[in-house]
C-alpha cells in the first residue's frame, strides 16, 4: 500500500482486525495471522521471498523501527 493515504491504511487495518487476520497487542505491536490472511486471499499465489530480499527488508525495517521507537 505504498503511496496511499493514512486513512486508507487505517481502514484496511480495521477490516483485517474485524476479520481476525490482525490482532493489536499491548504496546501497539501488530500480530498477523498468516493462515487467516491467506484464507482471505484464496486466488493469490504464495510466492517464496528471495532470501537476499528478505534480509534487506528486515534490516531496513529494524533500522526504521528502532529509530521510530516501535518493534518490527
Amino acid at each position: 500500500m505504498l503511496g496511499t493515504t493514512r486513512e486508507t491504511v487505517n481502514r484496511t487495518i480495521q477490516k483485517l482486525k474485524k476479520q481476525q487476520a490482525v490482532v493489536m497487542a499491548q504496546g501497539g505491536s501488530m500480530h498477523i495471522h498468516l493462515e487467516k490472511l491467506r484464507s482471505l486471499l484464496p486466488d493469490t499465489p504464495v510466492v517464496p521471498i528471495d532470501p537476499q530480499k528478505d534480509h534487506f527488508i528486515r534490516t531496513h525495517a529494524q533500522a526504521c523501527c528502532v529509530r521510530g521507537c516501535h518493534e518490527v
Side-chain angles (χ1 to χ4, degrees):
M1 296 182 72
L2 295 175
T4 189
T5 64
R6 183 180 179 111
E7 179 183 344
T8 303
V9 172
N10 287 340
R11 190 176 321 120
T12 302
I13 290 173
Q14 291 302 320
K15 284 182 185 178
L16 292 172
K17 284 168 57 175
K18 286 180 184 177
Q19 295 169 329
Q20 298 177 342
V22 171
V23 176
M24 300 303 288
Q26 198 170 9
S29 62
M30 186 181 301
H31 297 276
I32 301 170
H33 299 284
L34 291 178
E35 292 304 318
K36 180 65 175 178
L37 190 58
R38 284 185 182 133
S39 73
L40 298 172
L41 305 168
D43 297 332
T44 305
V46 177
V47 179
I49 190 166
D50 177 23
Q52 289 179 332
K53 287 182 183 177
D54 182 55
H55 175 73
F56 177 80
I57 291 167
R58 289 179 187 275
T59 302
H60 288 335
Q62 287 173 345
C64 169
C65 292
V66 167
R67 286 192 302 268
C69 300
H70 55 272
E71 296 180 21
V72 176

